[in-house]
Amino acid sequence: TDQGEDVWAGVVVGARRSLATGALAGLLATVLATTLGITAAYLGGIVDEIIGLFTNVAFVIPTIPLLIDVTAFLHQRGMLTMVLLLGFTLWAFEARILRGQALTLKNRDFIHAAKVSGESTWRIVFGELMPNMVSRIAAAFILTFYVAILVEAGLEFLGLGDSGKASWGVSLYWATVNSSVLQGEWWSFLFPGLAIGVTVFGLTLILAGIDEVANPRLQSRYGRRRLLAAL
């Protein structure tokens, strides 16, 4: 019982580090994806080609093997290092999506009207373009948030994190090192694994809710379902 309570306490304390790392890495990846995606779509031309090439290169490089190789050679494996590594490797997919949405908005009448009225580029991007992409940017953050949690836990489970700090991945790492399952201490895996699973499931539901609000097709579909349910 005492050992189970110790594991549970470690999971509760480690939640702060795991959630903070995932949130900061997701924020960094979202900022990079939003900046590069909108810049490429709005400016076009050679800028779009350069950013597109950079995005494609980052997109095709396998993330997990790259992170394993990099962290294996790092001497400093603190939280800041993990945030930077995850943030700079998880942005490419969302940059593509945000670029595509920015391209569709770029040709809307309100953007052309802003250009004709003499608005500056920064005013158009931050005052006209980005407010119409808030829901998709929020979805990008939620997606990279829970992916960062999973990837961080996987790296720490392999012993490539800071094993001296409490987190969900570190809890799984020590459970493996101590052969907890072979000794019948199943709770050493259950609590941290359940924490990761519940968190990712909750973030997935939030992502689905944002998608429902932002996607007109889903709005009409769920609207019809609610109407039928009410009838």
Side-chain angles (χ1 to χ4, degrees):
T1 304
D2 293 338
Q3 292 179 346
E5 292 177 353
D6 291 340
V7 172
W8 174 248
V11 171
V12 173
V13 174
R16 294 179 298 179
R17 183 180 180 86
S18 295
L19 292 176
T21 301
L24 292 175
L27 180 62
L28 176 59
T30 303
V31 170
L32 289 174
T34 303
T35 302
L36 294 176
I38 293 179
T39 301
Y42 186 78
L43 297 181
I46 187 65
V47 176
D48 188 15
E49 293 180 4
I50 294 175
I51 295 178
L53 177 62
F54 185 54
T55 303
N56 290 334
V57 172
F59 186 73
V60 299
I61 295 177
T63 302
I64 302 299
L66 175 64
L67 289 174
I68 291 176
D69 290 338
V70 173
T71 52
F73 288 99
L74 288 178
H75 298 288
Q76 178 65 30
R77 299 177 181 175
M79 178 177 169
L80 178 60
T81 302
M82 190 67 70
V83 168
L84 293 176
L85 288 174
L86 294 173
F88 282 109
T89 53
L90 297 177
W91 61 269
F93 177 74
E94 288 300 329
R96 274 185 165 186
I97 296 177
L98 292 172
R99 174 186 174 275
Q101 186 176 18
L103 280 175
T104 61
L105 294 173
K106 177 183 175 181
N107 297 319
R108 297 288 181 86
D109 292 337
F110 67 91
I111 298 294
H112 292 305
K115 292 180 179 178
V116 172
S117 64
E119 297 285 354
S120 65
T121 300
W122 292 107
R123 174 67 178 81
I124 295 174
V125 170
F126 290 101
E128 303 291 343
L129 200 57
M130 285 189 64
N132 289 278
M133 299 176 60
V134 169
S135 59
R136 191 61 196 81
I137 294 173
F141 169 71
I142 297 297
L143 178 62
T144 52
F145 184 1
Y146 76 72
V147 171
I149 291 177
L150 291 174
V151 174
E152 181 212 14
L155 292 174
E156 290 177 340
F157 174 71
L158 296 175
L160 299 175
D162 187 358
S163 58
K165 301 292 184 179
S167 70
W168 294 336
V170 171
S171 297
L172 292 173
Y173 167 74
W174 285 117
T176 303
V177 171
N178 296 328
S179 302
S180 299
V181 174
L182 296 179
Q183 299 177 23
E185 300 174 358
W186 49 267
W187 53 85
S188 299
F189 278 97
L190 176 64
F191 288 152
L194 189 62
I196 295 172
V198 170
T199 301
V200 171
F201 179 68
L203 291 173
T204 304
L205 293 180
I206 295 175
L207 181 61
I210 294 175
D211 196 21
E212 179 183 347
V213 173
N215 193 329
R217 295 180 180 178
L218 291 180
Q219 287 179 1
S220 60
R221 183 185 306 171
Y222 284 101
R224 288 194 297 269
R225 289 183 180 178
R226 293 192 184 99
L227 179 59
L228 293 175
L231 294 176

